[in-house]
């Protein structure tokens, strides 16, 4: 079975003390993850070391950064490199979240570099894609997402692609309380998988985990995750509340 992942994206929320307390609650809650399941926490940079320490003895719990530089090292004040993340034993990194694309001008080309640098450092990139409301209203979402995948992923070898996780996050569903319907999510996930199939073949495409993000909550996670091509979720708001995120982890297939 493909890896099923419940990923928390804290974004720019919680103080160090609040974040530490939240993680403590989560690691001390009895949740028996199966071999093919994982819980991942994308926390702010200053909390990475604490977070890695907190989850290191929990089976299949991992820490992610929310971003990294597309450059290896050097005079890039304020940036954090993939090599730095690796040196902290961080296993995952979000790449191309729509907020990074929108507010920090990250292009598909820059994101291709970020994927390369994560992979070169043994960090699993969680590549985010997804369309804005206007694009969906014009029924152009499939072509739009296909373009994002082509421009950022398609230079990768089969072996490299197998190390990537994809997150489909329709922008109109992020932080709005408006979740994509199960049908809309499944339809896009199947489309993403078919795009991967055309480029990389069936067997590779079938192995790639595709997470859904956008107003995932305890109350809708199970139904969303039950879809054939939905392999878990990338969760913002509801990941800041222990009771909510615990139920979301438990909702994994
Ligand atoms: P919400 O779950 O708050 O809608 O955020 C989704 C998201 O952007 C996760 O990366």
């Amino acid at each position: 079975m493909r890896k099923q992942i419940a990923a928390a994206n804290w974004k720019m929320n919680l103080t160090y003390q609040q974040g530490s307390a939240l993680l403590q609650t989560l690691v001390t809650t009895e949740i028996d993850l199966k071999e093919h399941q994982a819980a991942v926490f994308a926390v702010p940079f200053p909390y990475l070391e604490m977070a890695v320490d907190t989850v290191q003895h929990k089976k299949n719990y991992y820490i992610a950064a929310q971003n990294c530089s597309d450059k290896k090292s050097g005079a890039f004040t304020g940036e954090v490199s993939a090599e730095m993340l690796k040196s902290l034993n961080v296993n995952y990194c979000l790449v191309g979240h729509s907020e990074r694309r929108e507010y920090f001008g990250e292009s598909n080309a820059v994101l291709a570099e970020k994927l390369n640098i994560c992979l070169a450092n043994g960090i699993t990139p969680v590549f985010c894609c997804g369309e804005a409301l206007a694009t969906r209203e014009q029924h152009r979402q499939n072509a739009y997402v296909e373009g994002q995948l082509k421009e950022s992923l398609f230079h990768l070898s089969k072996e490299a692609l197998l190390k990537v996780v994809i997150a489909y996050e329709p922008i109109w569903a992020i932080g709005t309380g408006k979740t994509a319907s199960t049908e809309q999510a499944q339809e896009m996930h199947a489309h993403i998988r078919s795009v991967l199939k055309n480029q990389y073949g069936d067997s590779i495409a079938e192995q790639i985990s595709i997470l859904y993000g956008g107003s995932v909550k305890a109350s809708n996670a199970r139904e969303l995750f039950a879809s054939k091509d939905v392999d878990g979720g990338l969760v913002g708001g509801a990941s800041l509340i222990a009771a909510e995120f615990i139920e979301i982890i438990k909702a994994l297939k």
Side-chain angles (χ1 to χ4, degrees), residues 36-58:
H36 68 276
Q37 296 173 331
V40 176
F41 300 88
V43 306
F45 288 132
Y47 310 169
L48 284 170
E49 192 171 10
M50 168 277 287
V52 169
D53 273 357
T54 308
V55 307
Q56 66 181 343
H57 297 301
K58 278 291 268 195

Side-chain angles (χ1 to χ4, degrees), residues 58-199:
K58 278 291 268 195
K59 188 173 146 242
N60 296 352
Y61 278 53
Y62 302 98
I63 296 305
Q66 297 175 11
N67 179 35
C68 71
S69 174
D70 58 316
K71 308 287 193 305
K72 197 168 178 305
S73 64
F76 300 102
T77 301
E79 289 292 271
V80 173
S81 72
E83 190 181 23
M84 293 173 184
L85 300 178
K86 181 186 178 183
S87 72
L88 288 169
N89 295 319
V90 170
N91 299 105
Y92 287 80
C93 184
L94 306 187
V95 171
H97 191 281
S98 60
E99 289 148 18
R100 301 285 329 162
R101 294 173 186 263
E102 186 176 349
Y103 308 135
F104 303 93
E106 295 189 2
S107 66
N108 290 337
V110 163
L111 299 177
E113 292 300 327
K114 293 194 179 196
L115 287 164
N116 291 344
I117 209 148
C118 282
L119 293 168
N121 283 282
I123 292 168
T124 302
V126 179
F127 177 74
C128 305
C129 57
E131 81 288 353
L133 183 60
T135 308
R136 182 162 280 265
E137 283 174 348
Q138 293 157 17
H139 308 291
R140 291 193 295 112
Q141 68 271 16
N142 282 5
Y144 183 84
V145 169
E146 187 166 347
Q148 291 180 317
L149 298 173
K150 277 190 175 150
E151 289 179 32
S152 297
L153 288 183
F154 276 18
H155 65 286
L156 297 175
S157 66
K158 287 183 178 178
E159 294 68 34
L161 187 83
L162 283 171
K163 300 193 176 102
V164 175
V165 172
I166 294 176
Y168 168 60
E169 299 204 305
I171 296 168
W172 46 270
I174 295 178
T176 58
K178 189 169 181 246
T179 319
S181 67
T182 315
E183 294 72 27
Q184 284 172 322
Q186 168 56 29
E187 193 177 82
M188 179 58 86
H189 284 228
H191 172 63
I192 292 171
R193 208 177 296 290
S194 80
V195 170
L196 297 176
K197 266 181 196 164
N198 287 339
Q199 181 72 8

